[in-house]
Amino acid sequence: MSTIYGPTELGPATAKRQVYSPLEAYWNAFQAWRKREKLRTELCRLTDSELADIGITRGEIDYVTSNRSSSPDPLHWMSGIGTRR
């Protein structure tokens, strides 16, 4: 659970902050890579039965971590399983 300390600025929902320098772009990419590697490490430490409990196999770990950019939730890609659309 996360707690926000202090005021936050509200802006248009579609506004995105521009990347002003190549160094900032590199830093953001590096941070994203580190988050993916941390997730991959945590998933690799789980047993096969623990992985089965969350609905993935050991062979799917790389897929889950590489597609993290589509959603902040690593298991978001599973949200549609078992539902009719």
Side-chain angles (χ1 to χ4, degrees):
M1 183 160 61
S2 154
T3 305
I4 299 174
Y5 295 101
T8 59
E9 292 182 18
L10 298 177
T14 59
K16 283 192 143 191
R17 186 170 177 267
Q18 287 184 321
V19 177
Y20 292 108
S21 72
L23 182 59
E24 187 176 0
Y26 170 79
W27 181 251
N28 292 339
F30 177 71
Q31 291 295 340
W33 173 79
R34 294 222 12 202
K35 286 179 185 178
R36 287 190 308 271
E37 285 300 307
K38 182 178 179 187
L39 175 63
R40 184 179 176 281
T41 300
E42 290 173 359
L43 289 173
C44 285
R45 287 182 179 164
L46 296 177
T47 63
D48 289 337
S49 62
E50 290 171 328
L51 288 171
D53 287 344
I54 60 173
I56 62 173
T57 64
R58 195 156 299 281
E60 295 172 323
I61 291 175
D62 287 333
Y63 174 79
V64 171
T65 57
S66 67
N67 290 308
R68 183 168 169 85
S69 62
S70 63
S71 169
D73 178 11
L75 300 178
H76 176 74
W77 61 275
M78 294 176 46
S79 64
I81 295 176
T83 59
R84 292 186 176 218
R85 294 183 183 196

